[in-house]
Amino acid sequence: MPRYFFQVSGDTLHVDREGRLLDDDEAAWSLAITSTGELLRDIDGRMPSRAEILTTVTNERGAALISLRFTAERFPPVMS
């Protein structure tokens, strides 16, 4: 089973040094989406404007396979 490493950056950087044994790239894709969604849920709306969360998944050789980027931006209200 291949090992995948999930790095998450935003306000801080989480470096995955252990990795996860998964069946294949499709399983890594699914876990990347699920874990990023859980992270967004866990911050409970506390994300400043222009903040970004980036999840990068690499294989055992260090090659990037997946990149998920979530960017939040608020625009000032339009005055009529």
Side-chain angles (χ1 to χ4, degrees):
M1 238 188 260
R3 186 174 300 272
Y4 297 87
F5 298 85
F6 293 74
Q7 277 59 247
V8 180
S9 62
D11 283 345
T12 60
L13 173 64
H14 165 74
V15 177
D16 180 3
R17 298 192 191 288
E18 294 180 27
R20 301 275 304 263
L21 291 174
L22 299 170
D23 289 336
D24 54 22
D25 290 359
E26 191 63 33
W29 174 257
S30 180
L31 183 58
I33 292 170
T34 301
S35 61
T36 302
E38 289 171 355
L39 174 63
L40 288 168
R41 184 195 66 226
D42 291 347
I43 64 174
D44 195 27
R46 296 179 311 259
M47 187 168 177
S49 182
R50 298 188 180 176
E52 181 176 88
I53 295 173
L54 175 64
T55 300
T56 304
V57 181
T58 58
N59 64 16
E60 294 169 302
R61 294 179 307 280
L65 303 174
I66 298 165
S67 178
L68 299 174
R69 183 180 313 267
F70 180 83
T71 305
E73 187 168 356
R74 293 178 115 176
F75 299 101
V78 175
M79 305 302 281
S80 50

